[in-house]
Amino acid sequence: MPKFGLIGNPIAKSLSPSIFRAGYNGRYSYDLIEGEIFEKSWTRFLEDYKGINVTAPFKEKAFNQALCLAKDGLGTISGPCFKIRATNLLVKTKNGIEAHNSDFTGIILSIAEKLFPGLVIQCYKQFGPSAYIKIHQFVRQNLLSQYRQQPQALIVGCGGAGRAAAIAAAEMGFSTAIMNRTLEKAHKLAAELPEYGFITDPINDFKAAFRECDLIIYTLPVRLSEIERLSNADYAGEDNGTAKIILEANYKTPAFDLENSACQYINGKNWLLYQAVTGYGILCEELPDIDAMTAVIKSTSF
């Protein structure tokens, strides 16, 4: 029986084992491979596990290992994962070790389901674990049908999650601006990925950029003070055919309270769910029980 697990430190309180076991009704084991030394955890993966998830602080180190293997013809790296330069999912295959990034796929599914309700379940029923590819293609081909003019995205934060978010937004077809508390970090990201034409904005332009954009992906771990000064008009934004969408990564202490807002809000729990749906499907080559995974996430207090 194949074994799966999670590498990171600290991870004792991770929800991943509960979500994984719910997804497969306990048929596969999922262990926490915790430790301060990445190389030890990597060796355990190579010796004992079919596939692993990777979390902080090891996503970049895991990517570098996968890159070395790929250069030697012993593995492959997905296109988004290569551009993000970090992996949170590694699986052994007949072609070597594959590296993926389900932060990217989780964003795609979160936005897809908000723009096209029911699309995610429909595609997974039809295409199985690889449905995330079809969903991405569908969104890219049909995005402009939801808007009167080219939609714009604002990515707040240029860390690991922000980098994945910026690439995901651009890959879906949004004209994408990136913003960071240290502007040089945004400039660096834009320079590394010139094919996307990222616009860089200083953090003091947050309110104006927020109002103008159709999609906001907020990845900072803290709440900007400018959020308190946003008005209903800012949340409504410019009329572009579809209400503004806000997706934030932080599901433990969210920065937004949008129960009465004119926008469409996606809690970080949705991102967490769709990371798991896409990632576990790749790991096990089998569609997980999405309803059971959703129930675990909804019932958990953070």
Side-chain angles (χ1 to χ4, degrees):
M1 184 69 69
K3 293 173 60 178
F4 304 94
L6 172 69
I7 284 178
N9 188 64
I11 53 174
K13 296 182 179 179
S14 172
L15 191 58
S16 293
S18 296
I19 300 173
F20 183 91
R21 289 168 189 146
Y24 295 106
N25 196 28
R27 288 185 289 111
Y28 302 120
S29 66
Y30 189 96
D31 302 327
L32 295 179
I33 309 168
E34 186 173 20
E36 295 181 1
I37 301 174
F38 169 75
E39 289 73 17
K40 289 185 177 180
S41 297
W42 178 261
T43 298
R44 285 192 62 192
F45 160 53
L46 294 180
E47 292 177 348
D48 300 328
Y49 292 88
K50 163 72 172 175
I52 55 166
N53 289 122
V54 184
T55 190
F58 297 142
K59 292 182 181 181
E60 290 79 13
K61 287 186 176 181
F63 173 82
N64 289 334
Q65 289 281 6
L67 185 61
C68 289
L69 290 172
K71 288 179 178 178
D72 291 336
L74 301 174
T76 58
I77 299 174
S78 74
C81 181
F82 185 80
K83 291 185 177 183
I84 295 167
R85 312 298 290 182
T87 179
N88 65 352
L89 194 158
L90 295 153
V91 59
K92 296 173 183 174
T93 74
K94 63 181 180 181
N95 297 317
I97 292 176
E98 288 184 0
H100 298 267
N101 190 298
S102 64
D103 289 333
F104 172 88
T105 52
I107 294 165
I108 299 288
L109 266 64
S110 298
I111 303 303
E113 186 61 22
K114 188 62 70 174
L115 289 172
F116 307 98
L119 177 67
V120 170
I121 294 298
Q122 177 184 339
C123 284
Y124 269 93
K125 286 181 177 179
Q126 183 174 356
F127 300 109
S130 64
Y132 65 93
I133 299 172
K134 297 292 186 180
I135 294 168
H136 182 189
Q137 292 171 343
F138 182 90
V139 173
R140 187 166 183 85
Q141 291 167 2
N142 293 278
L143 181 69
L144 295 182
S145 70
Q146 303 298 301
Y147 295 96
R148 296 193 180 99
Q149 59 185 13
Q150 176 71 39
Q152 300 179 75
L154 172 66
I155 313 304
V156 186
C158 293
R163 187 181 181 100
I167 294 169
E171 284 286 344
M172 283 186 284
F174 287 89
S175 175
T176 303
I178 54 178
M179 176 179 289
N180 196 66
R181 286 174 291 181
T182 304
L183 187 58
E184 289 76 11
K185 195 169 185 178
H187 288 325
K188 183 175 183 293
L189 175 55
E192 289 175 356
L193 297 166
E195 64 268 33
Y196 292 126
F198 290 140
I199 301 165
T200 57
D201 271 342
I203 203 75
N204 56 11
D205 282 349
F206 173 79
K207 191 173 189 294
F210 181 97
R211 182 165 186 163
E212 179 181 348
C213 288
D214 304 289
L215 169 65
I216 315 294
I217 304 182
Y218 189 89
T219 71
L220 294 179
V222 296
R223 189 173 192 259
L224 289 175
S225 59
E226 287 85 350
I227 291 174
E228 298 178 5
R229 294 192 286 272
L230 294 173
S231 66
N232 289 337
D234 293 323
Y235 282 111
E238 299 179 357
D239 185 7
N240 195 15
T242 295
K244 186 192 304 292
I245 297 172
I246 299 176
L247 167 62
E248 64 174 316
N250 191 341
Y251 52 84
K252 294 182 179 179
T253 54
F256 293 89
D257 180 11
L258 299 175
E259 290 185 7
N260 300 312
S261 172
C263 73
Q264 304 181 81
Y265 177 63
I266 305 174
N267 187 281
K269 290 181 179 180
N270 292 79
W271 191 346
L272 176 64
L273 171 65
Y274 289 134
Q275 285 172 333
V277 169
T278 57
Y280 297 164
I282 293 170
L283 284 177
C284 300
E285 300 179 285
E286 179 183 342
L287 181 64
D289 185 333
I290 298 175
D291 290 337
M293 294 165 68
T294 302
V296 170
I297 292 173
K298 285 186 175 180
S299 65
T300 302
S301 299
F302 294 97

